[in-house]
C-alpha cells in the first residue's frame, strides 16, 4: 500500500512556491557625478557608419586590424573565457531544477549450507545461487525558499555578462594596439628614410671636402668635421633600423606571425592629423565603454553573492524521492509497477557552524564594498582618460603646427648654409649646425605627428569606440540594476 507524503512537507513546499520569498542583494551604488559637458568641450557627432579605425583613411590599416582581430591568440583566449563563464552559469542554474538519476543493478549470489543435516545430500555441501535485478529512478530537489540558489544563478549570469564585456573590451584594446603599432612602424619607416637621406648627404659632403682638401682648398678641420658628421649619420641609421625592427616585431606578435622584424608596408607617409574630435556627453560613457560595463556587472555579481550568503543562514527544504523494482528477471524491470519507493522531505536549519556562515556573509559584504569602490574609481579614471586625451590633442596640434614651420625654416637654413659654404662665404661648422637642426626638427615633427595620431586612438579607447555613439550594430544598453536577477538565457539542457 502506498502512503502519501506527510502533509506538512507539501504545505511548506506549496507555500514556498507561492510566496517566492528571497533575500535581496544590496542596491546598486550611484556612480560619481558626471559634469554636464567635458571640460575640454567638443561638439557631439553622429555615429560613424564604419569602424573607427577606418577614419584614418588607410586601406592597409583596415586589413591589418581585421587580420589582428581574426588571428590574435590573446583575443581567442578571451573568447574561451566567455565560454567558461557560460558553462559556470549553466552549472549554477542546474541547482534550481530537480536532479533525476536512474540506476540499474544486477547481482548474483551463491550461498553454501554447511553444518545442517539435510536428507538426501549424501554428505555433500548444498548451495543455492540467486540472481537479482534492481531498477530505480530517484529525484532530488531543493525548494529555493529564500532565493539562495537564484542568487547564485544571478551571480553566475552577471559574471557571464562581465566576461562578454571583457571580450568586447579586449577587441577594442587589441584594435587600438594594432593601429598604434602600425603608426609606430610608419613613423619608424619615415625616421629611417630621413636618417638614410642625411647619411647620403653627409657622405657627399665628405667626398667633396676630401677632394678640396687634396687640392689644398680646405683645411684638415673641415675634413675631420665632415668625417665625424658622416660617422654620426651612419650611427643614426643603425639606431633607426633597430627601432624599425622592434616596431615591426611588436606588430607581428599582434598578428600572430613569427617575429621576423620585417612587418607590413606602411605606405609613403603617415596619415594626416585628424580633425578636432567630437566627444559626445560624459553621461554616455557609462553605457559605451565595455570595461566599465564589465566592472558594473562584477559589482552586480558581488551583490548577488551577498544575498546568497545571507540566505544560507535560513532553513533549507529538500525533497527526495525514489521508485524502483526488484526481480529475479531482467524483463520485469520494464513493468511500471514499482514495488520499492520512498519519499522524504526535510528542513535543515544551521544551528552551530563555528561562525562559518556569518563569516561567509561578512566576506561577501566586504567583497561587495570593494567592488563598489572599484566601480567608482573606474568611472573617475574613465572621465580622466577622456579629458586627458582631449587636452593632449589640443596641445599636440599646436606643437605639430609650430614644428612644421620650424622644420620648413630649418630646411631652408640648411640649403642656405651649404650654398654659402660652396661659395666660400661660410665655415663648415655653420653647415653642420644647420644640418643638425634640420634633422632634429624634422625628426621631432614626425614623432609629434605620430603622438597626435596615438592620442586620437587613446580617445577612441576612452570613449569606448567611435566618437559619435558606438559602433554600428553594437548593443550598448545602460548598466542593469544590481537588485534585479537577470533571466536565465543559457537555453541549455539541465544535464
Amino acid at each position: 500500500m502506498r502512503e502519501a507524503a506527510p502533509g506538512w512537507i507539501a504545505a511548506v513546499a506549496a507555500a514556498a512556491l507561492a510566496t517566492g520569498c528571497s533575500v535581496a542583494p544590496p542596491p546598486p551604488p550611484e556612480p560619481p557625478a558626471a559634469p554636464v559637458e567635458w571640460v575640454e568641450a567638443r561638439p557631439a557627432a553622429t555615429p560613424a557608419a564604419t569602424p573607427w579605425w577606418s577614419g584614418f583613411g588607410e586601406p592597409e590599416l583596415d586589413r591589418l586590424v581585421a587580420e589582428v582581430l581574426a588571428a590574435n591568440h590573446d583575443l581567442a583566449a578571451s573568447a574561451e573565457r566567455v565560454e567558461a563563464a557560460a558553462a559556470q552559469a549553466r552549472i549554477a542554474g542546474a541547482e534550481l531544477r530537480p536532479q533525476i538519476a536512474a540506476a540499474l543493478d544486477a547481482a548474483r549470489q551463491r550461498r553454501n549450507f554447511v553444518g545442517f543435516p539435510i536428507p538426501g545430500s549424501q554428505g555433500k555441501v548444498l548451495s543455492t545461487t540467486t540472481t537479482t535485478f534492481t531498477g530505480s529512478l530517484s529525484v532530488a530537489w531543493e525548494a529555493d525558499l529564500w532565493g539562495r540558489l537564484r542568487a547564485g544563478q544571478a551571480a553566475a549570469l552577471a559574471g557571464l555578462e562581465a566576461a562578454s564585456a571583457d571580450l568586447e573590451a579586449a577587441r577594442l584594446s587589441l584594435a587600438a594596439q594594432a593601429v598604434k603599432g602600425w603608426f609606430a612602424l610608419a613613423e619608424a619607416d619615415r625616421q629611417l628614410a630621413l636618417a638614410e637621406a642625411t647619411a647620403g648627404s653627409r657622405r657627399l659632403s665628405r667626398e667633396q671636402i676630401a677632394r678640396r682638401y687634396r687640392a689644398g682648398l680646405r683645411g684638415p678641420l673641415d675634413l675631420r668635421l665632415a668625417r665625424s658628421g658622416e660617422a654620426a649619420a651612419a650611427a643614426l641609421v643603425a639606431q633607426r633600423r633597430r627601432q624599425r625592427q622592434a616596431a615591426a616585431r611588436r606588430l607581428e606578435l599582434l598578428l600572430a606571425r613569427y617575429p621576423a622584424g620585417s612587418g607590413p608596408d606602411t605606405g609613403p607617409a603617415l596619415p594626416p592629423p585628424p580633425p578636432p574630435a567630437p566627444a559626445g556627453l560624459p553621461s554616455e560613457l557609462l553605457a559605451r565603454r565595455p570595461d566599465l560595463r564589465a566592472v558594473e556587472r562584477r559589482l552586480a555579481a558581488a551583490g548577488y553573492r551577498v544575498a546568497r550568503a545571507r540566505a544560507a543562514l535560513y532553513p533549507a527544504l529538500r525533497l527526495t524521492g525514489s521508485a524502483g523494482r526488484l526481480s529475479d528477471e531482467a524483463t520485469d524491470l520494464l513493468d511500471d509497477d514499482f514495488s520499492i519507493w520512498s519519499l522524504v522531505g526535510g528542513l535543515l536549519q544551521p544551528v552551530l557552524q563555528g561562525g562559518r556562515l556569518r563569516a561567509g556573509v561578512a566576506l561577501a559584504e566586504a567583497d561587495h564594498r570593494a567592488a563598489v569602490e572599484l566601480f567608482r574609481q573606474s568611472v573617475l579614471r574613465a572621465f580622466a582618460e577622456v579629458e586627458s586625451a582631449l587636452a593632449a590633442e589640443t596641445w599636440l596640434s599646436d606643437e605639430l603646427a609650430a614644428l612644421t614651420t620650424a622644420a620648413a625654416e630649418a630646411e631652408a637654413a640648411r640649403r642656405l648654409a651649404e650654398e654659402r659654404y660652396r661659395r666660400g662665404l661660410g665655415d663648415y661648422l655653420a653647415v653642420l649646425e644647420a644640418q643638425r637642426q634640420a634633422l632634429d626638427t624634422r625628426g621631432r615633427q614626425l614623432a609629434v605627428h605620430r603622438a597626435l595620431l596615438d592620442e586620437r586612438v587613446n580617445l577612441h579607447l576612452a570613449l569606448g569606440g567611435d566618437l559619435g555613439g558606438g559602433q554600428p550594430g553594437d548593443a550598448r544598453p545602460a548598466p542593469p540594476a544590481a537588485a534585479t536577477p537577470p533571466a536565465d538565457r543559457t537555453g541549455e539542457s539541465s544535464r
Side-chain angles (χ1 to χ4, degrees):
M1 176 179 177
R2 300 183 183 181
E3 297 181 359
W8 64 270
I9 296 179
V12 171
L17 295 176
T19 58
C21 52
S22 63
V23 179
E30 290 293 330
V36 177
E37 61 182 15
W38 300 108
V39 174
E40 300 291 334
R42 306 289 172 86
T46 57
T50 56
W52 59 265
W53 52 85
S54 296
F56 294 103
E58 295 289 338
E60 179 62 30
L61 178 59
D62 294 347
R63 290 190 289 270
L64 177 97
V65 174
E67 182 178 350
V68 166
L69 294 179
N72 187 265
H73 298 303
D74 291 333
L75 188 62
S78 296
E80 293 303 323
R81 283 191 285 273
V82 174
E83 294 297 324
Q88 289 287 352
R90 291 195 296 271
I91 292 172
E95 296 185 8
L96 286 165
R97 301 180 177 90
Q99 309 298 307
I100 302 175
L104 179 62
D105 297 319
R108 187 172 179 84
Q109 183 181 39
R110 178 172 177 171
R111 177 179 299 179
N112 292 329
F113 298 94
V114 180
F116 293 94
I118 301 175
S121 62
Q122 299 177 354
K124 297 181 180 178
V125 177
L126 296 181
S127 65
T128 180
T129 301
T130 59
T131 301
T132 58
F133 298 92
T134 306
S136 64
L137 188 67
S138 61
V139 180
W141 178 63
E142 178 178 343
D144 196 19
L145 296 178
W146 319 109
R148 180 179 62 85
L149 300 181
R150 280 173 289 166
Q153 182 191 32
L157 287 173
L160 171 59
E161 292 168 344
S164 299
D166 282 338
L167 177 59
E168 185 180 347
R171 287 177 57 85
L172 178 62
S173 175
L174 189 60
Q177 291 179 55
V179 174
K180 283 186 175 182
W182 193 86
F183 289 155
L185 183 59
E187 186 211 346
D189 284 337
R190 307 292 88 72
Q191 296 281 14
L192 176 58
L194 179 62
E196 289 175 342
T198 300
S201 175
R202 298 277 178 88
R203 183 177 62 255
L204 290 177
S205 296
R206 191 266 305 163
E207 291 173 352
Q208 292 172 358
I209 292 174
R211 286 195 297 269
R212 293 185 179 187
Y213 172 76
R214 288 191 295 269
L217 300 177
R218 294 296 177 186
L221 178 61
D222 287 358
L223 179 59
R224 290 189 180 278
L225 287 174
R227 289 173 177 172
S228 175
E230 181 185 18
L236 181 62
V237 169
Q239 177 186 352
R240 297 305 190 196
R241 284 176 177 165
R242 174 175 56 82
Q243 292 172 345
R244 199 268 176 198
Q245 276 200 346
R249 286 194 172 97
R250 287 193 295 269
L251 195 55
E252 286 166 340
L253 284 177
L254 291 177
L255 291 164
R257 299 178 185 174
Y258 184 82
S262 54
D265 182 20
T266 58
L270 283 167
L281 298 175
S283 59
E284 299 173 353
L285 202 62
L286 298 181
R288 294 186 60 190
R289 281 186 52 153
D291 59 330
L292 291 185
R293 296 203 305 276
V295 172
E296 188 278 332
R297 287 289 81 203
R298 289 192 172 90
L299 170 60
Y304 291 127
R305 285 192 288 271
V306 170
R308 182 180 62 186
R310 290 173 178 171
L313 298 172
Y314 298 101
L317 172 61
R318 295 186 175 91
L319 304 176
T320 59
S322 65
R325 181 174 175 82
L326 176 67
S327 175
D328 56 0
E329 296 291 340
T331 56
D332 292 343
L333 300 181
L334 301 178
D335 296 341
D336 59 357
D337 182 15
F338 297 128
S339 58
I340 303 173
W341 64 270
S342 67
L343 179 62
V344 179
L347 279 173
L348 177 64
Q349 169 62 57
V351 176
L352 184 62
Q353 298 284 322
R356 179 178 61 86
L357 297 180
R358 293 289 181 184
V361 174
L363 174 62
E365 290 175 344
D367 287 342
H368 180 262
R369 291 192 297 271
V372 169
E373 299 304 325
L374 178 61
F375 171 70
R376 289 172 173 163
Q377 187 63 29
S378 298
V379 173
L380 288 175
R381 188 181 299 112
F383 289 152
E385 288 171 357
V386 177
E387 295 284 8
S388 298
L390 290 172
E393 278 202 357
T394 299
W395 299 117
L396 285 171
S397 297
D398 295 344
E399 186 178 356
L400 181 60
L403 281 173
T404 300
T405 301
E409 294 295 334
E411 182 62 23
R414 180 191 66 80
R415 291 193 299 266
L416 180 60
E418 290 174 351
E419 180 62 24
R420 285 173 57 82
Y421 181 75
R422 281 193 295 269
R423 293 182 180 183
L425 301 178
D427 58 21
Y428 194 64
L429 283 174
V431 173
L432 284 178
E433 175 59 23
Q435 289 176 342
R436 183 200 63 78
Q437 189 168 356
L439 174 64
D440 179 67
T441 309
R442 176 59 179 153
R444 289 173 58 197
Q445 181 191 18
L446 286 171
V448 172
H449 188 166
R450 180 260 180 115
L452 182 57
L453 294 172
D454 282 353
E455 284 302 330
R456 176 52 59 91
V457 176
N458 290 338
L459 185 58
H460 283 293
L461 276 174
L463 292 174
D466 70 68
L467 305 183
Q471 295 295 339
D474 275 359
R476 297 183 183 274
T484 304
D488 185 354
R489 56 182 180 85
T490 56
E492 296 290 336
S493 169
S494 61
R495 288 177 294 175

